[in-house]
Amino acid sequence: MIEFLTRPLADAFMQVGVYVAVMVAFFGWLRWRYGDRFTDGLTRHPRWGPLVGALLGVSPGCGGAIILMPLYVRGKVSFGTVVAALAATMGDSSWVVIAADPGFALTIHALLFVVGLATGYAVDLLGVEPARTLRAAAWPPRRRQPAESSYVPVSPVGVSRSRATGDPVGVAARTGPPPATHPGPATPAATLAPPAWLPRPATVSVAFWGVTTPAFLISVPVVFHAVDPHQLTGALGGIDPYLALGCCGTLVALVVFAAGRGRIADDSLATATPGSRREAMRHSAHEASFITVWVAVAYLGWQVLSTATGFDGSQLALAGVAGVLVGALIGLVPGCAVQIVFTGIFVTGGLPVTTLVANAISQDGDALIPLAALHRRAAGVATVVTTIPAVLVGLGLLTLLG
């Protein structure tokens, strides 16, 4: 019984979590080091907008798409650029696919890039622009001091913080809310602080990386069948390092997840470009923990369901046309949590590839949330627009594979 419950928890961390952590940390460092160069070049060459939007969107996670949202509200990029990024992004669920099957991940991300690029340019050619009236009123800014925005970016550990004036992701705090938009009041930082009984965010971040480092060293040879895990168990006096480190890692990830109050892990306008290496590592620990927890939920739930009922996924009504439509509709749900669970079910063999593709194109990850805070109408139009190619490509792929 213990093995029945602990094995999926260990697999969630050792097969997904450690690889996600390493890759998220690498991309976080890239965003900290080079993030502004992408946005600066984009505002100088607007005709390349959908191309750059698709490139930023297809990068793993949501950070690439996030940094475009305030630029759009300022009138610096086209709506097609935003749509290209949202259609190309797979959000945090991309980490799950990359960790499970890098070859397949490369294929699906190439498809997402092409779909995002084509959709973005199509939107611009058709002249779809929900924020046209907004830009005339809000950009360029008036000479008087603009009203303070009610949208306050929050860090992944739940503490509000402002960005430097020169940072392109801090525009919401400088230009004020668009006249046509009325986002809700900002949540006070104190109410977002982690519970008093939990360790400090910096402490749990150190603990996370302290477990991830040896877990990665054990996971690589075991997952890629370079070492027999039974030999490692025998060498350590009967202790299975894969199982022990995997369960410990998932437990630490759960603590980090709880310290962030289980909120959206990937990015806000503030965390899309970390201000320091330490901040990037803290954010990476939180994002990887968020993904690990939801993957563990998917793995454990699937284990219980399949063992108790004999259900292996073939009985799901998520194949064929129905599967494509369901995948695209689930993609309308904002945020990454549901999409991570959905992708986790695919990794375990419970979903066909056509359903996953439709979901991957339709979902907008966490990037839709700051856009909704800045301009709700644009966010609503964008999420509907990305659903159209999701259904069309899913049905086309279904025809080819059928």
Side-chain angles (χ1 to χ4, degrees):
M1 183 63 180
I2 294 179
E3 174 79 8
F4 170 80
L5 294 176
T6 57
R7 181 59 60 176
L9 297 179
D11 288 342
F13 187 72
M14 300 296 279
Q15 294 181 8
V16 177
V18 293
Y19 300 99
V20 168
V22 171
M23 290 183 289
V24 167
F26 174 70
F27 275 90
W29 178 82
L30 286 179
R31 273 183 273 175
W32 165 71
R33 185 68 178 83
Y34 301 107
D36 291 348
R37 297 186 182 181
F38 287 106
T39 56
D40 291 345
L42 180 59
T43 55
R44 287 196 302 267
H45 306 284
R47 288 180 297 178
W48 296 98
L51 173 61
V52 178
L55 286 171
L56 290 173
V58 82
S59 62
C62 300
I66 285 274
I67 63 177
L68 293 174
M69 302 307 143
L71 294 179
Y72 168 69
V73 174
R74 293 178 62 189
K76 290 295 187 178
V77 299
S78 67
F79 187 61
T81 302
V82 170
V83 170
L86 295 178
T89 188
M90 199 176 173
D92 281 338
S93 58
S94 62
W95 300 116
V96 180
V97 177
I98 292 171
D101 190 340
F104 172 74
L106 181 62
T107 301
I108 193 172
H109 281 80
L111 175 63
L112 289 172
F113 170 74
V114 172
V115 173
L117 181 66
T119 306
Y121 275 113
V123 166
D124 280 350
L125 287 174
L126 292 173
V128 179
E129 184 51 84
R132 182 178 289 111
T133 57
L134 162 70
R135 292 179 181 178
W139 191 262
R142 300 171 183 172
R143 292 185 178 275
R144 66 178 178 83
Q145 182 69 22
E148 183 178 357
S149 173
S150 60
Y151 175 74
V152 180
V154 294
S155 71
V157 296
V159 180
S160 299
R161 52 194 177 90
S162 60
R163 302 294 295 174
T165 303
D167 192 336
V169 299
V171 297
R174 299 194 302 277
T175 61
T181 317
H182 303 284
T187 306
T191 64
L192 295 175
W197 54 270
L198 286 172
R200 296 180 60 185
T203 303
V204 293
S205 174
V206 171
F208 178 83
W209 290 112
V211 175
T212 298
T213 302
F216 181 78
L217 297 177
I218 293 294
S219 175
V220 170
V222 171
V223 170
F224 291 95
H225 307 289
V227 172
D228 185 353
H230 297 291
Q231 294 179 348
L232 292 177
T233 302
L236 295 175
I239 299 176
D240 185 346
Y242 178 95
L243 196 64
L245 286 171
C247 290
C248 183
T250 300
L251 179 62
V252 173
L254 183 61
V255 173
V256 178
F257 180 84
R261 290 186 174 273
R263 294 180 299 106
I264 298 167
D266 185 69
D267 294 286
S268 67
L269 294 177
T271 60
T273 50
S276 66
R277 281 190 294 261
R278 180 176 298 179
E279 180 183 328
M281 293 302 289
R282 261 199 317 267
H283 170 61
S284 299
H286 184 70
E287 182 176 350
S289 297
F290 183 88
I291 297 170
T292 299
V293 168
W294 284 110
V295 169
V297 170
Y299 278 21
L300 185 59
W302 188 256
Q303 173 86 330
V304 172
L305 179 65
S306 60
T307 302
T309 66
F311 185 80
D312 62 2
S314 61
Q315 301 92 331
L316 279 172
L318 293 180
V321 176
V324 170
L325 294 177
V326 169
L329 290 175
I330 290 178
L332 290 171
V333 179
C336 290
V338 173
Q339 318 305 338
I340 292 170
V341 173
F342 198 74
T343 306
I345 295 175
F346 168 80
V347 169
T348 59
L351 297 174
V353 67
T354 51
T355 301
L356 178 71
V357 167
N359 175 261
I361 298 172
S362 176
Q363 66 164 291
D364 304 317
D366 293 338
L368 192 69
I369 294 173
L371 179 60
L374 295 169
H375 195 273
R376 293 178 183 174
R377 182 185 175 194
V381 173
T383 193
V384 171
V385 168
T386 57
T387 306
I388 297 173
V391 174
L392 294 178
V393 173
L395 293 177
L397 188 61
L398 181 64
T399 302
L400 291 175
L401 298 179

